[in-house]
Amino acid sequence: APIRMNALVIDNLFCGKDVLVAKCVQHYTAQGLQEGYKILGSFDFLGNPVKLFANLGTGVKDFFYEPYQAVFTSPDELLVGLRRGTGSLFSKTVGGTTGSLATFASALGKGLSALTMDSQYQSNRRHDMAQ
């Protein structure tokens, strides 16, 4: 998951090294905590909820945006825009949900195979999953 942190901008800086280091640590710690949910949310054992919500968000946006754009093209295009928007919402919802469930199931299967403590089974499973 991409993590984006805002730059620290300090105008008219007249302070000692200790104060500057403290400001930097405080700023980037707060930025890291704000972006930390992306790291946690992208773990496969959770089904990658960040990707799921990104897909759902895109589908919802398209559901409203496509008809809106179509109306400004021509009134006849409204039905085409509704079809595109609804199709995008449906495909992003279904695709995102099934992708998330598949990722979760795969992570669960991997974890359960590790619990068997059977190295031969684990080796066979890795070989089968690679194909």
Side-chain angles (χ1 to χ4, degrees):
I3 296 175
R4 294 181 178 86
M5 293 189 180
N6 294 327
L8 174 61
V9 178
I10 303 174
D11 292 326
N12 301 322
L13 177 65
F14 294 103
C15 64
K17 180 177 126 182
D18 295 340
V19 174
L20 177 61
V21 169
K23 285 183 184 239
C24 289
V25 168
Q26 179 185 14
H27 173 76
Y28 286 110
T29 300
Q31 290 288 307
L33 290 174
Q34 288 176 351
E35 294 291 306
Y37 74 92
K38 291 182 180 178
I39 295 170
L40 181 63
S42 66
F43 287 145
D44 284 345
F45 71 87
L46 295 175
N48 202 339
V50 169
K51 189 174 181 180
L52 170 65
F53 287 117
N55 280 339
L56 292 176
T58 302
V60 169
K61 179 188 75 92
D62 289 347
F63 181 70
F64 292 105
Y65 181 75
E66 291 292 337
Y68 175 79
Q69 285 296 95
V71 166
F72 288 108
T73 304
S74 77
D76 297 333
E77 292 290 315
L78 178 60
L79 290 177
V80 174
L82 282 171
R83 182 179 52 80
R84 282 186 191 145
T86 304
S88 176
L89 176 63
F90 181 75
S91 68
K92 298 286 184 181
T93 301
V94 171
T97 304
T98 56
S100 186
L101 289 173
T103 302
F104 175 75
S106 174
L108 182 65
K110 186 187 243 183
L112 290 175
S113 74
L115 286 176
T116 64
M117 296 183 202
D118 182 357
S119 60
Q120 181 64 35
Y121 172 76
Q122 292 172 3
S123 176
N124 290 342
R125 186 174 192 282
R126 277 192 300 272
H127 180 267
D128 292 343
M129 295 300 284
Q131 293 180 348

